[in-house]
Amino acid sequence: MVIYSFYIFDRHTECIYSKTWLPPPPAPGAQPQHDISTSTTGAAVASSDPHHHNPNTLRSSRSAVSAANKASDDAKLIFGTVFSLRNMVRKLGGEDDAFISYRTAQYKLHYYETASNLRFVMLTDTGTLSMRNVMHQIYINLWCEYVVKNPLAPVEHKGGAGVRNELFELGLNQFITGLIGQAGGQR
Amino acid sequence: MSSASKASRLGEEIWKTRIEKVNAELVVLTYGTIVAQICKDFENDYAEVNKQLDRMGYNIGLRLIEDYLAKSNTMRRCSNFRETAEMIAKVGFKIFLNVTPTITNWTGDNKQFSLVFDENPLADFVELPDDGRAQDQLWFSNILCGVLRGALEMVQMQVETHFISDVLRGHDTTEMRVTLVRYIDDELPPEDD
């Protein structure tokens, strides 16, 4: 079993949590210490003195921005897809029918939706069995416990506020690692 | 099996196996203290106190619904408002307060019902202030109206809730009226290019 990525969307259709377990594509010339602040100074210098700028700095900042854009575009695309599929499924199969998963040659997408319109999406390899139950467990044991019951977390998670807390991250990591370990042990 | 008895079995089962219990007197005293403090803060303007209690309840309801869905293992929506009423009374109130209000007084269009509370754990030991106004104006357990309103809003039902009688005021029963205003549509993703 391989899990590629995991997304949570709220009832306002916003992506409030995403996590990928894929290694990020190596950016050409990017160095780890080039964070946003150094690259903006780089850009400022470049505009005043075009001969002085370091092309690598610019490129790495651009690729960091484009990676962030790509991630948010991916999330939007995924939401659009699952939302349309879910509506189509309900139209054909009746209000009680649920969209569960689809599979391509490369990956399998699993979908789980709560009655409060929280949507969970997980991308795995094609051979993985249904992850609906896994996502239901994430909802019950991690989301409810660490996000909803955290009295200081906001009710609406605009921009993902309150979701990415330490306990939730830790719990999710442990849970997923445990799953993969189990699946590996059975082989 | 009817949905009513299924709901009560489910409520009973969850209450027995999945709920951490807390001392009832702690709840009564905590809630009583909150109401007393709000009365003080708003100088016994009981209409305002009712409003504040409802608002607190609303904020609780927004979160409590997730706990309800998790504990009751709900995977699908109720198919109609009558089923919703059953689940509220026999599962919701059962697992969080260990009471089961009676559902009654349905209107013909199935959009309005009453919950009649034979016992109300929030109101044990309570006597309303003897200032001649509280008896007519304060709905002591008004927080419950808000909880219901908030919780149902999260599962896409807009409801209106209010108490119409309370034993604390000397009525024979404690009765809450719940009205379905509308089902809320799914939100659509924003259009972008």
Side-chain angles (χ1 to χ4, degrees), chain A residues 11-13 76 79 83 86 112 115-117 136 139-140 144 148-151 153-155, chain B residues 62-63 66-67 69-71 73-77 153-156 186-190 192:
Chain A
R11 67 200 167 102
H12 309 299
T13 77
K76 274 184 202 152
F79 186 82
F83 190 70
R86 150 197 191 266
Y112 169 66
S116 50
N117 268 357
H136 185 60
Y139 170 63
I140 293 180
C144 285
V148 175
K149 290 189 191 171
N150 175 0
V155 177
Chain B
L62 295 180
R63 291 172 190 260
E66 306 283 5
D67 199 35
L69 294 173
K71 295 238 164 72
N73 246 321
T74 303
M75 295 290 255
R76 59 170 203 96
R77 279 164 200 277
E153 184 181 306
M154 291 296 274
V155 286
Q156 294 177 289
D186 286 334
E187 288 188 42
L188 299 172
D192 66 12

Side-chain angles (χ1 to χ4, degrees), chain A residues 100-153:
Chain A
I100 294 166
S101 69
Y102 73 72
R103 203 172 75 181
T104 73
Q106 298 294 328
Y107 68 95
K108 185 170 174 186
L109 179 145
H110 307 258
Y111 180 70
Y112 169 66
E113 176 181 324
T114 71
S116 50
N117 268 357
L118 204 63
R119 284 98 173 195
F120 295 81
V121 173
M122 197 176 265
L123 267 66
T124 67
D125 67 330
T126 53
T128 304
L129 297 176
S130 175
M131 295 295 264
R132 215 173 133 74
N133 212 13
V134 167
M135 291 191 280
H136 185 60
Q137 290 303 319
I138 291 177
Y139 170 63
I140 293 180
N141 295 326
L142 301 173
W143 179 266
C144 285
E145 294 300 312
Y146 299 140
V147 179
V148 175
K149 290 189 191 171
N150 175 0
L152 297 181

Side-chain angles (χ1 to χ4, degrees), chain A residues 6 9 25 27-28 32 37 60 63-66 77 110 115 148 164 168 184 187:
Chain A
F6 175 61
F9 300 92
S37 64
S60 78
S63 69
V65 170
S66 76
L77 276 176
H110 307 258
V148 175
R164 218 168 267 279
F168 182 73
R187 250 175 234 157

